[in-house]
Amino acid sequence: QVQLVESGGGSVQAGGSLRLSCSASRYTSSSACMGWFRQAPGKEREGVARIYLGGGITYYADSVKGRFTISQDNAKNTLYLLMNSLSPEDTAMYYCASNVGPYSRTWWAGCTFGSWGQGTQVTVSS
C-alpha cells in the first residue's frame, strides 16, 4: 500500500494557474501508473490526467487537454498537476491516485487505481 498526500489547492480567479503536488510514501516495483481525479459537488468523480511512471506517457481528459500538465519527480516520489487557464468549471476536490492498493479500485485511461489521497480543494471564481 502507498500513502498519498496532496497539496497546492486553493482559490484562484478564472484564467489563473495552480500547481498541485502529491507526495507518495514510496514507489514500489508494482508502481506502474498514477493519476489525478476530481469531484465537483453533486457530480461523479472523473479522471483528469494519468501518467505511466516507467515511460512518462500521459493521458488527459478532453476537458483539460492543452491546459493541464501531469508530471512526476521519481527522486522525490512526487506527482504534479500544473493547471493553467483555469475556469469555474474546474472547481472541484482533486485527488491523487496510484495503481498500488486495494481501495475503491477504479479503471481509467489504461490504469486501475487502488490508492487515493485525501484530496485538495480547487476553487475558481469568475
Side-chain angles (χ1 to χ4, degrees):
Q1 186 177 346
V2 59
Q3 280 72 47
L4 304 170
V5 179
E6 303 97 333
S7 61
S11 297
V12 65
Q13 290 190 331
S17 299
L18 284 173
R19 189 179 78 158
L20 306 183
S21 299
C22 172
S23 178
S25 58
R26 62 193 181 114
Y27 285 170
T28 73
S29 58
S30 299
S31 299
C33 47
M34 295 187 71
W36 290 94
F37 288 73
R38 67 186 182 186
Q39 187 167 20
K43 294 187 177 180
E44 292 187 356
R45 183 175 60 192
E46 62 175 354
V48 174
R50 182 271 292 140
I51 188 167
Y52 288 137
L53 298 179
I57 298 173
T58 58
Y59 179 89
Y60 299 92
D62 287 342
S63 58
V64 306
K65 199 173 298 182
R67 301 187 298 122
F68 290 12
T69 303
I70 187 172
S71 62
Q72 62 187 83
D73 185 333
N74 289 339
K76 297 181 178 180
N77 288 357
T78 300
L79 183 73
Y80 301 100
L81 185 69
L82 176 61
M83 306 184 295
N84 294 323
S85 301
L86 285 163
S87 72
E89 289 69 35
D90 296 313
T91 295
M93 186 72 79
Y94 283 72
Y95 298 92
C96 171
S98 165
N99 72 294
V100 178
Y103 305 106
S104 299
R105 292 189 67 78
T106 301
W107 184 92
W108 182 74
C111 180
T112 300
F113 298 91
S115 290
W116 304 83
Q118 82 288 350
T120 186
Q121 178 67 37
V122 172
T123 302
V124 185
S125 59
S126 57

